Amino acid sequence: IIFLCNNLFVYLFSVPAALQISISLNKVELSVGESKFFICTAIGEPVRLEWYNPQGELIMPSKRMSLHTETSRSRLIIYNAIVQDAGIYRCEAADASGHTVEASVVLEIYQRLTFRDVQSPQEFRHGEMAEVVCDVISSPVPTVVWYYQDREITEEHHSRFRVLANNNLQIQQVTKVDEGVYRCEASVEARGEIDFVDIAVVVNVPPVLSVFQQSFNSTADYQESVTFTCITSGSPDPMVTWHRYGLAQGWPILGGRSMLTIRNIRQADGGTYTCRATNKAGLEERELFLKVFVQPHIIQLKNVTAVEGSAAMISCVAEGEPLPDISWRRASDGQAFVDGVKSQDGRFEVRGRHGKSVLTISGVKLSDLGRFDCEALSRIGGHQKSMFLDIEYIPKFLTNYTIYYSWEENPVNISCYVMSNPPATMLWRRERFTISAEGTFNTRVHSAEGKSVLEVTPMSDRDFGRYNCTARNNIGVRYQEFILAQADVPSNPYSVRLSAVSQRLATVTFMKPDSHGGVPISYYLVQYKEVGSLDWRDAKSHSVQTTVVLTGLEPNTTYEVRIAAVNGKGQGEFSRTESFQTLPIREPSPPAVHGQRGMGKAYRLGLIKQDDGGMPIVEYIVKYKTDKEEQWMTKLVPGANDFAMLQPLQWNTRYEVEITARNVKGLSEPTFYQFFMPQKPDITESLFSGLGLGAVVGLGLGALLLLLVLVDISCFFLRHCGLLMCITRTLCSKKTTTSGKGKDMEEGKALYICFDFYTMHNSHLFFLLFVFLFCSSNRKLPLKEENGKESLKPDTIEIKVHSDNSIHTKLDDIKE
């Protein structure tokens, strides 16, 4: 027994616990839209902890279902639950041997009593069939009752009120009397749930309009005024607007009356006015008429067409009493022209008499094109009309680009743009011959208004030369000549230079050719070869860039390079051949390094790729030692690696490092580097440095749980209290008496029970527990009797282990 007590804790940690699993909740009711989480906890050493949905599918994290799983604990969160989420959810755990256990939770989803988008107020038109909407949902289906003025609405005989199947309230031929607040009350008897919403019902009455007088007469320019009056009614109060010529303006209503007053009446004020009353229920309008007498009126003004450079005469005739004065205005710049006064340039002059005015324009220009306004004014009023002056002119060519380039069998479009009035007819000529609209075997004409395109596909030298575009209208004819020149290949590039030459690369730069041959250059062709070789290798430039990088060169080799420009016509001449020699293979450049501390007693040296001297790095030779040692330690690192790991190293020590790169040519110059290893970390850091946060938390919880169990067992034997004591007293069914010898009997019985537990299958944990109980009870704990002597508490614990590993505990209390 002493040996077992001494090795209790060692054995406790060495025996694995049986795998168990539990969920924080067994059954949950959840409303639609609510969120809930469930915690699944495993006891033992699970290697897998997973959740399954009611369909038996493995739950994967999503927007509505989130999983947070640690070593022996997993939390399932369901956000914004829907009806389809209901069912049985299972949490399954498995240990390393493949043994699995599971626990489940039942999730029931119901829909709470909810009013959906119930609007208040709800408005209806007088006399129509009104349906007051009360959209309410729940599961099960709710019972809906309507109230008005604190009284329940029932469907009586001849009643205008009716509750529809969709819970809405129907009111037949709704009137203003039906306005008010209606209450829609919904309840779910199964849950005792009840709620209501108040809905204001508004009945709108269409407007009604009436007028005192519908027609008015007035004389213009005598300070006269006219007032139109409209009387309106309706609910809500109508908005009254007055309309004329499609324009609307609103005036306030005073006592159901709206008035429109027109002061200082002019001729333009005559016509129809509309009084329009509108509200939510409808619209009604009335027309009122105002007739204005004796105003100036233009009776003759026509559009005029003139030829550029000629003279134009525009006539305007007006009538009225008295006869109006007539003036002119140019719309493009607002310049006015009056009778008897010439314009500043002398080209505009106005002559008028007896209600007739003539505007004469000499030497018409294209800038005169546009609108001119004639205005007739008198003391009674005024009148204005407009005309349009159109200018006809000889065709004018808009094309400045007249030279085109092409080559045999390469089509080209020659475009001829013309501006003219009236539109011109356009023809193409070649050596006094007209090219028909149908074209020939190598020409085609495409025409549109103001544009003609000649498509030419040169087949020989005869197709190059001059082409003539002729534009003609009834004003005159104009010609424009185009030249189709034969394109050539570009001239040769020059000033070829070689830069950034290494063992296997060289950069070629050059100047663009002086001539591109009339066709844009497409790219540059760079050819290069070894001296003495007959085979040139090709490299193309990217677009028209004048820099090309040659790759794949051989070290310590002399090359020749030449460049030619290529356009649509073809390849031009090569530039002068230039020679260059690549660098010979040499030792690598000294390597560049950077370092950082590794895990434990390790240090990581990063190797930055350097110039390899023309051949790949075979290996890096890394030598390192402490600053107090003389002997170097050597580590060989393959050339393909980008780091070297130095380990094991000493704590709190400065190290010196020498790194050398080697290729087939030889060794590079060494690179020197120093670093310092810090102090040795404390025992806590060393113990948990390899564990994750979840493992550390799990170990802490396990240690805390073990401590609580030990404290509870100690309280059971020392103080006769704690959780184990409560369980023991609960399971007791009777008490018995015992003698002074009972103590020895119970100690012997406890020892027998311990060994009995030890022999049971899968009962190692209980064995350790009761060995500890026995050891604790063997300490002769003092208890006071009534006579003051010390004795043990006369309680007997009987424990039986069944074949299914369950435990039956019986406590016999001895009667005092």
Side-chain angles (χ1 to χ4, degrees):
I1 292 174
I2 294 174
F3 172 77
L4 292 175
C5 290
N6 292 335
N7 292 277
L8 171 64
F9 293 101
V10 176
Y11 191 84
L12 182 63
F13 280 105
S14 64
V15 179
L19 185 62
Q20 301 181 34
I21 191 171
S22 63
I23 299 179
S24 56
L25 300 172
N26 294 328
K27 182 176 180 181
V28 174
E29 286 189 358
L30 198 61
S31 173
V32 172
E34 290 185 345
S35 302
K36 198 75 175 179
F37 71 88
F38 309 97
I39 297 177
C40 177
T41 304
I43 299 176
E45 297 182 356
V47 297
R48 177 172 57 84
L49 197 59
E50 297 173 335
W51 284 91
Y52 291 87
N53 62 18
Q55 291 74 35
E57 301 170 345
L58 179 65
I59 297 178
M60 304 300 294
S62 63
K63 290 183 177 179
R64 287 202 319 103
M65 290 195 179
S66 176
L67 289 174
H68 300 277
T69 303
E70 299 174 356
T71 302
S72 58
R73 176 187 173 97
S74 180
R75 183 170 67 169
L76 170 63
I77 305 175
I78 301 177
Y79 296 103
N80 302 324
I82 60 177
V83 176
Q84 290 75 12
D85 292 336
I88 300 175
Y89 288 79
R90 294 185 299 109
C91 178
E92 182 177 282
D95 57 18
S97 64
H99 177 66
T100 61
V101 294
E102 66 177 34
S104 62
V105 58
V106 179
L107 178 61
E108 295 182 355
I109 308 295
Y110 68 92
Q111 174 65 58
R112 291 190 306 177
L113 192 63
T114 304
F115 291 93
R116 299 188 298 185
D117 297 332
V118 178
Q119 297 182 358
S120 179
Q122 297 185 25
E123 300 186 11
F124 303 96
R125 181 185 173 96
H126 177 83
E128 71 178 1
M129 180 78 71
E131 184 173 335
V132 186
V133 177
C134 180
D135 188 2
V136 58
I137 60 171
S138 71
S139 58
V141 177
T143 302
V144 175
V145 179
W146 285 87
Y147 294 90
Y148 179 58
Q149 295 180 349
D150 298 329
R151 296 177 60 187
E152 182 180 349
I153 298 176
T154 58
E155 297 183 10
E156 300 176 355
H157 188 60
H158 298 304
S159 174
R160 293 186 300 110
F161 296 87
R162 178 186 175 192
V163 179
L164 303 178
N166 59 1
N167 296 326
N168 293 343
L169 177 63
Q170 185 184 78
I171 307 176
Q172 297 182 0
Q173 296 181 350
V174 64
T175 64
K176 199 69 177 176
V177 179
D178 299 323
E179 274 192 346
V181 177
Y182 291 75
R183 171 164 295 184
C184 174
E185 184 178 275
S187 61
V188 178
E189 185 176 354
R191 291 195 304 273
E193 188 176 2
I194 188 169
D195 198 0
F196 68 89
V197 62
D198 288 337
I199 304 172
V201 173
V202 178
V203 179
N204 298 322
V205 181
V208 176
L209 269 179
S210 61
V211 297
F212 290 132
Q213 183 178 344
Q214 193 168 5
S215 179
F216 299 83
N217 295 329
S218 181
T219 302
D221 204 26
Y222 283 116
Q223 306 298 318
E224 292 184 357
S225 298
V226 170
T227 299
F228 302 135
T229 303
C230 275
I231 301 174
T232 180
S233 63
S235 179
D237 292 336
M239 172 66 182
V240 177
T241 55
W242 294 87
H243 297 257
R244 186 166 185 252
Y245 299 148
L247 302 177
Q249 187 172 1
W251 279 268
I253 300 176
L254 301 175
R257 177 176 300 188
S258 178
M259 294 179 291
L260 172 63
T261 300
I262 306 173
R263 298 181 175 86
N264 302 325
I265 292 177
R266 297 177 302 175
Q267 179 187 8
D269 297 330
T272 301
Y273 291 79
T274 302
C275 174
R276 181 177 299 167
T278 59
N279 65 7
K280 295 180 179 180
L283 175 150
E284 187 173 1
E285 61 183 27
R286 291 286 186 271
E287 289 186 347
L288 299 96
F289 301 95
L290 173 63
K291 186 174 182 180
V292 180
F293 295 95
V294 194
Q295 289 198 103
H297 184 70
I298 297 173
I299 60 175
Q300 182 180 333
L301 182 65
K302 297 180 179 180
N303 294 334
V304 173
T305 300
V307 178
E308 182 183 12
S310 65
M313 299 180 64
I314 309 172
S315 177
C316 179
V317 179
E319 64 181 12
E321 183 60 39
L323 288 175
D325 295 326
I326 299 176
S327 61
W328 296 85
R329 185 179 301 276
R330 185 166 55 190
S332 61
D333 57 4
Q335 183 177 355
F337 308 100
V338 296
D339 191 13
V341 179
K342 283 189 176 183
S343 63
Q344 187 174 359
D345 60 5
R347 296 191 306 113
F348 291 82
E349 186 178 6
V350 178
R351 295 291 181 182
R353 187 178 179 183
H354 299 296
K356 181 178 180 180
S357 178
V358 177
L359 173 63
T360 302
I361 307 174
S362 302
V364 172
K365 299 180 180 180
L366 287 181
S367 59
D368 299 327
L369 178 74
R371 192 187 82 197
F372 285 81
D373 299 326
C374 175
E375 185 175 19
L377 292 175
S378 70
R379 63 184 179 85
I380 302 300
H383 188 207
Q384 177 181 309
K385 274 191 174 182
S386 301
M387 56 79 59
F388 188 84
L389 176 61
D390 191 17
I391 309 297
E392 293 183 343
Y393 53 92
I394 196 170
K396 302 178 186 295
F397 290 98
L398 305 177
T399 307
N400 294 324
Y401 184 73
T402 59
I403 301 178
Y404 291 81
Y405 291 88
S406 187
W407 56 93
E408 294 180 2
E409 298 184 0
N410 179 66
V412 62
N413 291 334
I414 303 175
S415 300
C416 180
Y417 294 91
V418 172
M419 181 177 68
S420 65
N421 185 28
T425 301
M426 303 178 68
L427 298 174
W428 287 92
R429 295 178 181 274
R430 166 76 167 154
E431 297 178 352
R432 296 177 298 173
F433 294 99
T434 301
I435 300 175
S436 65
E438 292 78 12
T440 62
F441 74 99
N442 67 333
T443 60
R444 183 174 297 177
V445 179
H446 307 277
S447 297
E449 184 176 354
K451 176 182 178 181
S452 182
V453 178
L454 175 63
E455 180 184 348
V456 181
T457 305
M459 305 303 295
S460 65
D461 292 344
R462 294 182 65 258
D463 295 325
F464 296 94
R466 300 178 184 275
Y467 290 82
N468 184 282
C469 177
T470 302
R472 183 194 306 272
N473 64 6
N474 58 2
I475 307 301
V477 59
R478 289 282 178 87
Y479 308 92
Q480 186 171 34
E481 190 174 71
F482 296 87
I483 298 176
L484 178 57
Q486 190 164 7
D488 197 0
V489 295
S491 60
N492 61 284
Y494 58 94
S495 295
V496 179
R497 297 286 185 271
L498 274 299
S499 62
V501 179
S502 65
Q503 287 84 2
R504 300 188 181 277
L505 298 176
T507 301
V508 183
T509 60
F510 50 90
M511 299 294 292
K512 294 182 179 180
D514 294 332
S515 171
H516 55 63
V519 183
I521 294 175
S522 302
Y523 62 91
Y524 293 96
L525 175 65
V526 180
Q527 290 188 339
Y528 62 100
K529 68 181 182 65
E530 297 180 13
V531 173
S533 175
L534 299 178
D535 297 328
W536 290 90
R537 287 187 280 175
D538 294 341
K540 292 183 180 181
S541 67
H542 180 68
S543 184
V544 291
Q545 293 183 359
T546 57
T547 300
V548 178
V549 178
L550 304 180
T551 61
L553 304 179
E554 293 296 329
N556 198 22
T557 304
T558 302
Y559 285 89
E560 293 179 332
V561 62
R562 61 185 185 181
I563 305 163
V566 180
N567 63 7
K569 178 66 183 295
Q571 177 182 317
E573 296 181 357
F574 280 102
S575 66
R576 189 177 65 181
T577 302
E578 298 290 340
S579 299
F580 68 94
Q581 185 173 4
T582 55
L583 299 179
I585 296 175
R586 57 171 177 79
E587 297 83 359
S589 299
V593 298
H594 63 89
Q596 63 180 15
R597 181 187 169 189
M599 298 294 293
K601 295 183 178 181
Y603 193 85
R604 178 187 173 102
L605 281 177
L607 302 173
I608 302 174
K609 297 302 180 182
Q610 80 279 25
D611 182 5
D612 59 8
M615 293 297 289
I617 302 296
V618 176
E619 64 182 0
Y620 293 94
I621 304 171
V622 183
K623 297 181 179 181
Y624 61 99
K625 69 180 184 66
T626 66
D627 56 355
K628 298 179 181 179
E629 296 178 344
E630 295 296 333
Q631 186 175 358
W632 293 84
M633 292 178 284
T634 303
K635 183 179 183 67
L636 299 181
V637 179
N641 286 16
D642 58 359
F643 72 93
M645 187 67 74
L646 305 181
Q647 60 182 356
L649 303 178
Q650 301 178 22
W651 298 112
N652 194 25
T653 304
R654 182 175 298 278
Y655 280 84
E656 298 177 356
V657 183
E658 178 184 308
I659 307 102
T660 306
R662 184 176 72 83
N663 63 8
V664 295
K665 187 67 177 178
L667 298 174
S668 70
E669 293 293 328
T671 296
F672 298 96
Y673 184 80
Q674 291 185 352
F675 64 89
F676 184 80
M677 288 294 291
Q679 293 283 352
K680 181 178 180 180
D682 58 28
I683 186 64
T684 304
E685 180 181 356
S686 300
L687 179 61
F688 296 108
S689 60
L691 297 178
L693 178 61
V696 174
V697 173
L699 289 174
L701 292 177
L704 178 61
L705 180 60
L706 179 60
L707 179 61
L708 293 176
V709 171
L710 295 178
V711 170
D712 190 70
I713 294 173
S714 300
C715 292
F716 176 85
F717 286 98
L718 300 180
R719 301 296 183 183
H720 303 285
C721 62
L723 181 61
L724 183 60
M725 192 67 186
C726 293
I727 296 174
T728 303
R729 291 186 181 277
T730 302
L731 297 177
C732 288
S733 58
K734 63 180 181 177
K735 296 183 179 180
T736 59
T737 59
T738 184
S739 62
K741 298 180 181 180
K743 171 184 175 182
D744 296 332
M745 295 176 61
E746 293 303 317
E747 290 178 352
K749 191 173 184 179
L751 179 60
Y752 171 76
I753 293 173
C754 288
F755 281 98
D756 189 26
F757 267 73
Y758 182 75
T759 58
M760 295 301 295
H761 178 62
N762 291 334
S763 302
H764 304 294
L765 182 61
F766 296 112
F767 164 71
L768 295 176
L769 175 62
F770 280 94
V771 167
F772 182 84
L773 297 179
F774 177 81
C775 295
S776 300
S777 63
N778 198 37
R779 295 176 57 188
K780 299 183 178 181
L781 304 178
L783 294 175
K784 295 293 185 177
E785 291 184 339
E786 292 182 358
N787 57 5
K789 295 182 180 180
E790 296 180 350
S791 64
L792 293 176
K793 182 176 179 62
D795 293 339
T796 299
I797 302 176
E798 181 179 351
I799 300 177
K800 296 181 181 180
V801 180
H802 300 281
S803 59
D804 58 353
N805 295 335
S806 61
I807 299 176
H808 177 72
T809 303
K810 182 177 181 183
L811 177 66
D812 293 328
D813 295 334
I814 301 176
K815 297 182 179 179
E816 297 181 359

